[in-house]
Amino acid sequence: MAPDSALTSSPAEVGEEMEELLRRLYPICRSITGDGLRATLRLLGDGLPFTIHEVPSGTPVLDWEVPDEWNIRAAYIERENGERVVDFADHNLHVVQYSMPVDRVVPIGELRQHLHSLPEAPDRIPYRTAYYAKTWGFCVSEHQAAALTDPFYRVRIDATLAPGHLSYGEMLVEGAVEDEMLVSVHCCHPSLANDNLSGMVVARALARWLLARPRRLSYRFLFIPGTIGSITWLARNEDGLARIKHGLVLSCLGDRGNLSYKKSRRGDATIDRVASHVLKHCPAGHKVLPFVPYGYDERQYCSPGYDLPVGCLMRSPNGTFPEYHTSADDPAFVGREHLADSLHTLQQIVDVLEHDGVFRNTSPKGEPQLGRRGLYRPIGGQQDAAEYDQLVLLWVLNLSDGAHSLLDVAERAGAPFQRVKAAAEDLCRAGLLEPALPVADKP
Amino acid sequence: MAPDSALTSSPAEVGEEMEELLRRLYPICRSITGDGLRATLRLLGDGLPFTIHEVPSGTPVLDWEVPDEWNIRAAYIERENGERVVDFADHNLHVVQYSMPVDRVVPIGELRQHLHSLPEAPDRIPYRTAYYAKTWGFCVSEHQAAALTDPFYRVRIDATLAPGHLSYGEMLVEGAVEDEMLVSVHCCHPSLANDNLSGMVVARALARWLLARPRRLSYRFLFIPGTIGSITWLARNEDGLARIKHGLVLSCLGDRGNLSYKKSRRGDATIDRVASHVLKHCPAGHKVLPFVPYGYDERQYCSPGYDLPVGCLMRSPNGTFPEYHTSADDPAFVGREHLADSLHTLQQIVDVLEHDGVFRNTSPKGEPQLGRRGLYRPIGGQQDAAEYDQLVLLWVLNLSDGAHSLLDVAERAGAPFQRVKAAAEDLCRAGLLEPALPVADKP
Amino acid sequence: MAPDSALTSSPAEVGEEMEELLRRLYPICRSITGDGLRATLRLLGDGLPFTIHEVPSGTPVLDWEVPDEWNIRAAYIERENGERVVDFADHNLHVVQYSMPVDRVVPIGELRQHLHSLPEAPDRIPYRTAYYAKTWGFCVSEHQAAALTDPFYRVRIDATLAPGHLSYGEMLVEGAVEDEMLVSVHCCHPSLANDNLSGMVVARALARWLLARPRRLSYRFLFIPGTIGSITWLARNEDGLARIKHGLVLSCLGDRGNLSYKKSRRGDATIDRVASHVLKHCPAGHKVLPFVPYGYDERQYCSPGYDLPVGCLMRSPNGTFPEYHTSADDPAFVGREHLADSLHTLQQIVDVLEHDGVFRNTSPKGEPQLGRRGLYRPIGGQQDAAEYDQLVLLWVLNLSDGAHSLLDVAERAGAPFQRVKAAAEDLCRAGLLEPALPVADKP
């Protein structure tokens, strides 16, 4: 996985690399702090210009403070004869995240108050958290819950919750301008593959791809624990927020569902238009969803005091697939071809952000004579005369009046941006088009 | 029916009271002037701070003048043997309103030119008027018309049309501010229950409810004859029109149809948004209709020289139900539960107008930590995590940036205003929200 | 066909006249230059104040230059025994337009590279052009192509391509104001009836109709070769373009399809609203199409350097009917009743452009008392009270506040402009309405 493999790998190879990394990351028990999170960040940053920040517990961050660090070594439920019936060593979802340490024999009635299961999906272990609740608990399959019939059980959680640090990863891939696109992924979930190991490995692959090519924009990648991570980063980076012109939260990018884009709070930010455009031209179906103040870290970036232009790209959105937040969200639920398709879509979004611009038709009175420049077919009269590429050429000429960007042209023409960009390049070469303004300066 | 019963009566009791008053008003022969109208106004104003205005015939009012006063004592069609075959004493719809006095024996051919019936509804007596036509006429069932086979009949209408007064009722329920909501009902129809005894009794019940509670806005109730009444009131009250910020014409509020709201001429007045919002969240279906310059007194309030923000609330709109303007629009056509539902809807509309306002999130950077304030559940990760009330809290926080009112939040969140208001109250108590501006001052 | 027959002819007679002229024009071999085009212009201008302009070959026009003039006398494909198997004398579509002269015996393989046929429509001869390609070719039916089995054929095209002139016709029908409506038809197609002899004869009939009546606007008719003709005219008339307030390209107006209007590039020009309104009230269905930079001469008028408010009126749009650009687009494909209906629609469009205006209600406070002016029926109360014409009167009164034109009223009321205009005339006569501004001066 040398960085330059990004230039030479085929989509299938990149899909395979992403899946392989996902499978390596899967067994690690992550949380919003702790050694599992640190190990994950180290793997994600391997070979990349990646900084791991450590913020001390107790640091005030906006309305919150950085919590104590939680680390867990072992946890189980034993029968009085020592038989382990539930063991964190088998699956790290078995323990409610941020459980307080416990080592007691408890009556079954008390134990049941600390058990979480899914009656509607009896084979699956749910994912539960109690970051700020000072309690403990186990998550079990419904079958496991039903098998707990003894009067007493020993419960043990060997965990520490103590002052330490909150860790997050950050990487700036600099471009020609200071304007930034923010790419943010949450890294706090334990063994859950789609939510959000898929986001992590796709973000890493995107960063590698960007590092290997010229860039106009700068790209800032954040690998953070959900909620408290974005709040911490926002609190520490207020001075730089004005540089963020576009942003995406990435999650659930490996399942077989079609792509979904959830708009930023603004609803009409450039990223909203660009992502909607790219998804519209996906051969599979897609969904564009309105902003709601629930979901992932876009909740923080889009809070009214910041209102950053940050949307969220997913395949199946959070909460809409039955495997969500259960042990069924495992590596088998994720497909390398879906990871590759998600990456490809992100690359197209980047391509629009990099290359959109306003051009000016240098021969705006009447149509220029395309035929003598080899841009129009010689024999006229055919019924299907508005051949697609020729029509895109005509759209670019017609709308390049200094007021429409290439993305405007693509939307009006109903053509993918790529095609419009190619037509603009042909016209520039023929001297019929010249750049007016990059889109950021669109009047 | 003491005023304070409004505070203690259940909806069912208020529905029963409205129905009872409607049945008392039903037999009275009202018109656009006269003693029947006066008797109606006295019953409606009983126990309320109600003024009955009397405007002399001949008074110029806008493009019109107040007509002579019409009073009718008796009217019938007799066979030559003295047998009465049509009698106003049986039903006051039998006489065309504003018929001139007549006492003659007429050949059947002439009589037929003064008869109105409904071939398509042979059991029903139609409602007809001739306010400005100097004619006379009888309205009869098709069966009655068919039975008129004698060569001659005596027709007698013992009525007077002479200088007198036009009467209307007016009541101002003052609030903390001078801004007014206008509630206008026409009281000129004789024995027709849905159109518009229902509007009268619902308006009276609304006034009683308002009198019993604190109010920000002032509420002006008009009980007027249709068209000429609103024209007369407008002509006499031009100085006060600027205080009218919202208005509703009420009619047809007792039938079993779903609620309908017809927008004001402006189409985007606050009352248009508020009524549309409240109806959208009715459990039954509803209709929002565009303005048309036909219907009830909103025609006058929405004439271009005034263009007041006055819409019209109905159940089945005028002209859309077969009982409309016939003897079948009787008390049995009206249900107390429909009257109560109409009142309840009006109370919800008032509630939005009273309580909408712009709030400001006091912790707008990131989400405030709701958990430590008891506003967020302690165990995270559930699939249905966006519980409804919690999501409304998040919407209020997210949009309370000084530019969105609670109604804006409700519309964007797709939640009823009541729920949004409750969330805002919780957040105010927690110190996370503070009032910015009342909605009237929204920038 | 004296000009004043336009005043006295019935629609059926005008339809017949149009069809007759179309049949006379059909056999002429037109092209973008040449004697066939000149003969066509002379017939179209017969008896009308029509100017035929001649622009020399080589004249620079915008990005183009006027091409050499092409004239053809004969063309055929012969077997070596002298049997003619394809002959231009049979159908002038048999030769690719602007074919270079040729007189050679060629092997069948070479000939096939110069043959155009339609495998999917084996009976039809296609229409092909090679204006700027310096080649030659024959268009044949698929049956003719299949029958060419000899090893060698003699091909002869007796044509000249030499400096000469580009011809076009122009006629200004002056009105009271200098503001112009442009009517542009392409006249360059050889024996094709719907595209665009139909446009030529309908435009001529419209001009005759306009000449016979008073006019507010001036109307400029252009009979031009496609593309190069409008480019030439634009290049020679830049000073006058500011006078063009509305414009229509006419084509394909004789087939049985419903009417289609393709919007101007602006999309919201007055002509776009007017044509959409008139088509909406056609009893048959209709289509309103968005602008695309392909089609007829609207491509030139709507190029970004001009952006004139010019749309395109058609029945079946170019390329959407199987007869398009084939020998099946012959006079039998065109119906006189469709020509007459197209003309009638154009007359209605002109009527709106001539008569739209802003009026002011002279009695804007409340409704004026229509009854005493004979504009309201005397007996009230009927269920169908909103009789259509009465409602249109009320709409005109309600919206005539100095901000809405009659077309605005028609659109809001959902009524045809004609009806609204008639109501406005009634109200003007009653003194209840007065002109405020012609629509061109609408604020």
Side-chain angles (χ1 to χ4, degrees):
Chain A
M1 283 208 290
D4 55 331
S5 79
L7 273 179
T8 54
S9 302
S10 71
E13 286 166 338
V14 176
E16 193 175 330
E17 284 169 16
M18 288 190 282
E19 188 183 37
E20 186 184 301
L21 176 58
L22 184 147
R23 287 180 180 273
R24 284 176 66 196
L25 290 164
Y26 179 72
I28 300 172
C29 182
R30 281 161 292 277
S31 185
I32 57 173
T33 62
D35 291 332
L37 175 58
R38 273 183 203 99
T40 298
L41 296 174
R42 277 193 300 269
L43 276 168
L44 288 169
D46 178 36
L48 296 179
F50 201 89
T51 306
I52 298 180
H53 298 273
E54 297 282 352
V55 186
S57 299
T59 305
V61 285
L62 304 179
D63 186 59
W64 305 56
E65 66 177 43
V66 172
D68 280 347
E69 184 174 329
W70 184 69
N71 283 290
I72 182 166
R73 281 158 298 276
Y76 47 81
I77 301 175
E78 278 184 354
R79 303 182 70 178
E80 289 193 280
N81 67 6
E83 182 193 346
R84 292 197 180 174
V85 290
V86 175
D87 195 342
F88 171 77
D90 295 334
H91 205 300
N92 62 40
L93 288 181
H94 273 318
V95 173
V96 171
Q97 291 245 320
Y98 264 65
S99 279
M100 302 297 288
V102 62
D103 188 358
R104 288 207 291 130
V105 174
V106 294
I108 180 68
E110 181 181 349
L111 175 57
R112 288 204 188 283
Q113 290 167 22
H114 291 265
L115 283 185
H116 303 271
S117 63
L118 295 169
E120 70 282 10
D123 292 330
R124 294 175 184 171
I125 311 165
Y127 163 59
R128 293 290 179 270
T129 66
Y131 301 132
Y132 303 98
K134 303 271 175 201
T135 183
W136 59 268
F138 284 87
C139 300
V140 296
S141 75
E142 188 67 11
H143 301 310
Q144 287 176 305
L148 294 174
T149 52
D150 293 359
F152 291 90
Y153 285 93
R154 181 181 174 210
V155 292
R156 176 151 188 261
I157 298 179
D158 175 15
T160 49
L161 179 62
H165 294 81
L166 176 147
S167 317
Y168 67 86
E170 183 169 13
M171 170 169 47
L172 180 64
V173 179
E174 282 183 282
V177 299
E178 288 207 332
D179 289 348
E180 291 180 13
M181 175 173 182
L182 181 73
V183 178
S184 174
V185 292
H186 62 277
C187 303
C188 50
H189 287 19
S191 293
L192 293 169
N194 198 35
D195 177 15
N196 188 25
L197 289 169
S198 68
M200 299 178 215
V201 300
V202 170
R204 176 184 156 89
L206 180 67
R208 293 178 68 223
W209 179 77
L210 282 164
L211 281 162
R213 33 188 283 150
R215 298 170 298 274
R216 187 174 69 82
L217 292 170
S218 298
Y219 295 81
R220 184 174 299 276
F221 288 82
L222 298 183
F223 296 87
I224 52 177
T227 306
I228 189 66
S230 49
I231 284 171
T232 299
W233 183 83
L234 284 163
R236 290 159 56 99
N237 291 280
E238 292 220 347
D239 290 349
L241 298 185
R243 288 196 297 268
I244 298 179
K245 305 303 183 193
H246 322 288
L248 283 177
V249 167
L250 304 183
S251 182
C252 301
L253 288 173
D255 67 277
R256 76 165 62 82
N258 291 334
L259 281 156
S260 303
Y261 175 70
K262 173 184 166 183
K263 287 185 177 181
S264 77
R265 179 181 186 266
R266 301 182 188 179
D268 62 353
T270 300
I271 187 67
D272 297 324
R273 284 187 65 206
V274 170
S276 301
H277 172 79
V278 169
L279 263 62
K280 185 178 162 188
H281 290 280
C282 284
H286 76 284
K287 281 208 205 89
V288 175
L289 307 167
F291 177 75
V292 290
Y294 196 80
Y296 295 109
D297 288 302
E298 68 276 11
R299 292 160 70 163
Q300 312 308 326
Y301 303 125
C302 295
S303 58
Y306 297 119
D307 198 18
L308 295 175
V310 176
C312 180
L313 188 73
M314 300 168 277
R315 302 191 78 88
S316 297
N318 49 306
T320 66
F321 50 95
E323 296 82 359
Y324 176 74
H325 278 192
T326 75
S327 53
D329 181 4
D330 62 13
F333 181 60
V334 164
R336 64 178 71 171
E337 68 276 28
H338 309 310
L339 294 170
D341 180 69
S342 300
L343 175 63
H344 177 65
T345 302
L346 281 162
Q347 289 165 343
Q348 288 180 295
I349 290 171
V350 163
D351 200 48
V352 181
L353 292 172
E354 287 282 322
H355 296 291
D356 191 21
V358 175
F359 288 77
R360 198 178 299 275
N361 178 340
T362 61
S363 180
K365 295 184 172 185
E367 286 173 11
Q369 195 178 6
L370 297 174
R372 75 166 193 261
R373 295 169 174 101
L375 296 171
Y376 214 77
R377 112 215 82 210
I379 301 296
Q382 290 97 317
Q383 185 136 0
D384 60 344
E387 278 163 15
Y388 203 67
D389 281 321
Q390 190 166 292
L391 189 52
V392 170
L393 279 181
L394 293 173
W395 271 117
V396 174
L397 286 169
N398 192 276
L399 292 181
S400 290
D401 54 4
H404 297 91
S405 77
L406 293 185
L407 180 58
D408 294 332
V409 176
E411 289 186 349
R412 182 92 176 259
F417 179 85
Q418 252 60 353
R419 302 272 313 282
V420 171
K421 184 179 81 167
E425 287 164 355
D426 284 350
L427 291 167
C428 284
R429 271 191 293 273
L432 290 171
L433 202 68
E434 62 188 18
L437 298 165
V439 76
D441 307 316
K442 185 179 164 186
Chain B
M1 281 206 292
D4 53 331
S5 80
L7 273 179
T8 54
S9 302
S10 71
E13 285 166 338
V14 176
E16 194 176 329
E17 284 168 17
M18 288 191 282
E19 188 183 39
E20 187 183 300
L21 177 59
L22 183 148
R23 288 180 181 270
R24 285 175 66 194
L25 290 164
Y26 180 71
I28 300 172
C29 182
R30 281 161 293 277
S31 186
I32 57 173
T33 61
D35 291 331
L37 176 58
R38 273 183 202 99
T40 298
L41 296 174
R42 277 194 300 269
L43 276 168
L44 288 169
D46 180 35
L48 296 179
F50 201 88
T51 305
I52 299 180
H53 297 272
E54 297 282 351
V55 186
S57 300
T59 304
V61 286
L62 305 179
D63 187 59
W64 305 57
E65 67 177 43
V66 173
D68 281 347
E69 183 173 330
W70 185 68
N71 282 292
I72 181 164
R73 280 158 298 276
Y76 47 81
I77 302 175
E78 278 185 353
R79 304 182 68 177
E80 290 194 277
N81 65 6
E83 182 194 346
R84 294 198 180 173
V85 291
V86 175
D87 195 342
F88 171 74
D90 295 336
H91 206 301
N92 63 39
L93 288 182
H94 274 319
V95 174
V96 170
Q97 292 246 319
Y98 264 65
S99 279
M100 302 296 288
V102 64
D103 187 357
R104 289 206 291 130
V105 173
V106 295
I108 179 66
E110 181 180 350
L111 176 56
R112 289 205 189 281
Q113 291 168 18
H114 292 267
L115 283 185
H116 303 270
S117 62
L118 296 168
E120 70 281 11
D123 292 330
R124 294 176 183 172
I125 312 164
Y127 164 60
R128 292 290 178 270
T129 67
Y131 302 131
Y132 304 97
K134 304 273 174 199
T135 183
W136 60 267
F138 284 87
C139 300
V140 296
S141 76
E142 188 67 11
H143 301 311
Q144 286 174 307
L148 294 175
T149 52
D150 294 357
F152 291 90
Y153 285 91
R154 181 181 174 212
V155 293
R156 176 151 188 262
I157 296 178
D158 175 14
T160 50
L161 180 61
H165 294 82
L166 176 147
S167 316
Y168 67 86
E170 183 169 13
M171 171 170 44
L172 179 65
V173 179
E174 283 183 279
V177 299
E178 287 206 332
D179 289 349
E180 290 180 14
M181 174 171 183
L182 181 73
V183 178
S184 175
V185 292
H186 63 277
C187 303
C188 50
H189 287 19
S191 293
L192 293 169
N194 198 35
D195 178 14
N196 189 24
L197 289 169
S198 70
M200 298 178 215
V201 300
V202 170
R204 175 184 156 88
L206 180 67
R208 293 178 70 223
W209 178 77
L210 282 164
L211 281 162
R213 33 186 283 150
R215 299 169 297 275
R216 187 173 69 83
L217 293 170
S218 298
Y219 295 81
R220 185 174 299 276
F221 288 82
L222 297 182
F223 295 86
I224 52 175
T227 304
I228 189 65
S230 49
I231 284 170
T232 299
W233 183 83
L234 285 163
R236 291 160 56 99
N237 291 279
E238 293 220 346
D239 291 350
L241 298 184
R243 287 196 297 267
I244 297 179
K245 305 303 182 194
H246 323 286
L248 284 177
V249 168
L250 304 184
S251 182
C252 302
L253 289 173
D255 66 278
R256 75 166 63 81
N258 292 334
L259 282 156
S260 303
Y261 175 71
K262 173 185 165 183
K263 286 184 178 181
S264 77
R265 178 182 189 266
R266 301 182 187 178
D268 63 353
T270 300
I271 187 66
D272 298 324
R273 284 186 65 206
V274 170
S276 302
H277 173 78
V278 168
L279 263 64
K280 184 178 163 190
H281 289 281
C282 284
H286 76 283
K287 282 207 205 89
V288 174
L289 307 166
F291 177 76
V292 291
Y294 196 79
Y296 295 111
D297 288 300
E298 69 276 10
R299 291 159 71 165
Q300 312 308 326
Y301 302 124
C302 296
S303 59
Y306 297 121
D307 198 18
L308 295 175
V310 176
C312 180
L313 189 73
M314 300 168 277
R315 301 193 77 88
S316 296
N318 49 304
T320 65
F321 50 96
E323 297 82 359
Y324 177 75
H325 278 192
T326 76
S327 54
D329 182 3
D330 62 12
F333 181 59
V334 164
R336 64 178 69 171
E337 68 278 26
H338 308 311
L339 295 169
D341 181 68
S342 299
L343 176 62
H344 177 63
T345 302
L346 282 162
Q347 289 166 342
Q348 289 181 294
I349 290 171
V350 164
D351 200 48
V352 181
L353 292 171
E354 287 282 323
H355 296 293
D356 191 20
V358 175
F359 288 76
R360 197 178 300 276
N361 178 339
T362 61
S363 181
K365 294 185 171 183
E367 287 173 11
Q369 195 179 4
L370 297 174
R372 75 166 193 261
R373 295 168 174 101
L375 296 171
Y376 216 77
R377 112 212 87 203
I379 300 296
Q382 288 97 319
Q383 186 136 2
D384 60 345
E387 279 163 15
Y388 203 67
D389 282 319
Q390 190 167 291
L391 190 52
V392 170
L393 278 181
L394 294 174
W395 271 117
V396 173
L397 285 170
N398 191 275
L399 291 180
S400 289
D401 54 4
H404 297 90
S405 78
L406 293 185
L407 181 58
D408 294 332
V409 176
E411 288 186 349
R412 181 91 176 261
F417 180 83
Q418 251 62 351
R419 304 270 315 281
V420 171
K421 185 179 79 165
E425 287 164 355
D426 285 349
L427 291 166
C428 283
R429 271 191 291 274
L432 290 172
L433 203 68
E434 63 188 16
L437 298 167
V439 75
D441 307 315
K442 185 179 164 186
Chain C
M1 281 208 292
D4 54 331
S5 79
L7 271 181
T8 55
S9 302
S10 70
E13 287 166 339
V14 176
E16 194 176 330
E17 284 170 17
M18 289 190 283
E19 189 183 37
E20 187 184 301
L21 178 58
L22 184 148
R23 286 179 182 274
R24 286 176 64 195
L25 290 165
Y26 180 73
I28 302 172
C29 182
R30 282 162 291 278
S31 186
I32 56 172
T33 61
D35 291 332
L37 175 59
R38 274 185 201 96
T40 298
L41 295 175
R42 277 193 300 270
L43 277 168
L44 287 170
D46 179 35
L48 296 180
F50 200 90
T51 306
I52 298 180
H53 298 272
E54 297 280 353
V55 186
S57 300
T59 305
V61 285
L62 304 180
D63 186 60
W64 304 56
E65 66 176 43
V66 172
D68 281 347
E69 184 175 327
W70 184 68
N71 283 290
I72 181 165
R73 282 159 297 277
Y76 47 80
I77 302 175
E78 278 185 354
R79 304 181 68 174
E80 289 193 281
N81 65 7
E83 181 193 348
R84 292 198 181 173
V85 292
V86 175
D87 195 342
F88 171 75
D90 295 334
H91 205 299
N92 63 39
L93 288 181
H94 274 318
V95 173
V96 171
Q97 290 247 318
Y98 264 65
S99 280
M100 303 296 289
V102 63
D103 187 358
R104 291 206 289 131
V105 173
V106 295
I108 179 67
E110 182 180 349
L111 175 56
R112 289 203 188 283
Q113 291 167 19
H114 292 265
L115 283 185
H116 303 270
S117 62
L118 295 169
E120 70 282 11
D123 293 330
R124 295 176 183 171
I125 311 165
Y127 164 60
R128 293 289 178 270
T129 66
Y131 302 131
Y132 303 97
K134 304 272 176 199
T135 183
W136 59 268
F138 284 87
C139 300
V140 295
S141 75
E142 188 66 11
H143 300 309
Q144 287 175 307
L148 295 174
T149 52
D150 293 358
F152 291 90
Y153 286 92
R154 181 182 175 211
V155 293
R156 176 151 189 262
I157 297 178
D158 175 15
T160 50
L161 180 62
H165 293 83
L166 175 146
S167 317
Y168 68 86
E170 183 169 13
M171 172 170 44
L172 179 65
V173 179
E174 282 183 281
V177 299
E178 289 206 330
D179 288 349
E180 292 180 12
M181 176 171 180
L182 181 73
V183 178
S184 175
V185 292
H186 62 276
C187 302
C188 49
H189 287 19
S191 292
L192 294 169
N194 198 36
D195 177 17
N196 187 25
L197 290 169
S198 69
M200 298 178 213
V201 300
V202 170
R204 176 184 156 88
L206 179 68
R208 293 178 67 224
W209 178 78
L210 281 164
L211 281 162
R213 33 186 284 150
R215 298 170 297 275
R216 187 173 70 81
L217 293 170
S218 297
Y219 294 81
R220 184 174 299 275
F221 289 82
L222 297 182
F223 295 86
I224 52 177
T227 304
I228 188 66
S230 48
I231 283 170
T232 299
W233 184 83
L234 283 163
R236 290 160 56 99
N237 291 278
E238 292 220 347
D239 289 350
L241 298 184
R243 287 197 297 269
I244 297 179
K245 305 302 183 194
H246 323 286
L248 283 177
V249 168
L250 304 184
S251 181
C252 301
L253 288 174
D255 66 278
R256 75 167 61 84
N258 291 334
L259 282 156
S260 304
Y261 175 69
K262 173 185 166 184
K263 287 184 176 180
S264 77
R265 179 181 188 267
R266 300 182 189 180
D268 62 353
T270 300
I271 187 66
D272 297 324
R273 284 187 64 205
V274 170
S276 302
H277 173 78
V278 168
L279 264 63
K280 185 179 162 187
H281 289 281
C282 284
H286 75 284
K287 280 208 205 91
V288 174
L289 307 166
F291 176 76
V292 291
Y294 196 80
Y296 295 110
D297 288 301
E298 69 276 10
R299 291 161 71 164
Q300 311 309 325
Y301 303 125
C302 295
S303 59
Y306 297 120
D307 197 19
L308 295 175
V310 176
C312 180
L313 189 73
M314 301 168 276
R315 301 193 77 88
S316 296
N318 49 304
T320 66
F321 50 96
E323 296 82 359
Y324 177 76
H325 279 191
T326 76
S327 53
D329 181 4
D330 62 14
F333 181 59
V334 164
R336 65 178 70 170
E337 69 277 26
H338 308 311
L339 295 169
D341 180 69
S342 299
L343 176 62
H344 177 65
T345 301
L346 281 162
Q347 290 165 342
Q348 289 182 293
I349 290 171
V350 163
D351 201 47
V352 181
L353 292 172
E354 288 282 323
H355 296 292
D356 191 20
V358 176
F359 288 77
R360 197 178 299 275
N361 179 340
T362 62
S363 180
K365 294 183 171 185
E367 286 173 10
Q369 195 179 5
L370 297 173
R372 74 165 194 263
R373 296 168 174 100
L375 295 171
Y376 215 77
R377 111 211 87 205
I379 301 295
Q382 289 97 319
Q383 186 136 3
D384 61 343
E387 279 163 14
Y388 202 67
D389 282 320
Q390 189 166 291
L391 190 53
V392 170
L393 278 182
L394 293 173
W395 270 117
V396 173
L397 286 170
N398 191 275
L399 291 181
S400 289
D401 54 4
H404 297 91
S405 78
L406 293 184
L407 181 58
D408 294 332
V409 177
E411 289 186 348
R412 182 92 176 261
F417 180 84
Q418 253 60 352
R419 304 268 317 281
V420 171
K421 184 178 78 165
E425 286 164 356
D426 285 348
L427 291 167
C428 284
R429 272 191 292 274
L432 289 172
L433 203 69
E434 62 187 20
L437 299 166
V439 75
D441 307 316
K442 185 179 161 184

